[in-house]
Amino acid sequence: MDKIISTLLILLWTYTGLDKLIRWKASRNAFHNQTFPSELAEVLAYAVPIVELLIALLLLFPIYRRWVSLAYFFPHL
């Protein structure tokens, strides 16, 4: 069960991260259309795809799966 959930999360985070990189202009414009300041939108346009791909990468390694899963399902810990 753990491997199935990890595989699904890897696919999810890889898809979303790569989609934001492949469609860079549209993704960047979407961040700039949000209500937060333009400077923050610019930082998030770079940071979000990188973090998404980093999460997918961490989930590939069993030692990090539990840590990433706990952070994902229990962000307040």
Side-chain angles (χ1 to χ4, degrees):
M1 188 65 165
D2 185 41
K3 286 188 177 201
I4 294 171
I5 293 171
S6 295
T7 303
L8 291 174
L9 287 173
I10 289 168
L11 291 173
L12 170 76
W13 291 116
T14 302
Y15 170 76
T16 57
L18 288 177
D19 184 56
K20 286 181 182 72
L21 291 177
I22 291 169
R23 300 170 194 208
W24 174 250
K25 283 188 177 187
S27 176
R28 186 173 173 267
N29 288 338
F31 279 107
H32 281 279
N33 284 335
Q34 301 301 316
T35 58
F36 38 78
S38 180
E39 295 83 16
L40 180 59
E42 194 64 31
V43 170
L44 290 175
Y46 287 96
V48 168
I50 292 170
V51 169
E52 289 172 343
L53 292 173
L54 180 62
I55 290 170
L57 182 66
L58 288 174
L59 284 170
L60 288 173
F61 302 102
I63 193 168
Y64 297 113
R65 280 187 195 144
R66 185 174 192 97
W67 178 77
V68 171
S69 297
L70 286 173
Y72 183 73
F73 290 111
F74 302 103
H76 60 281
L77 293 180

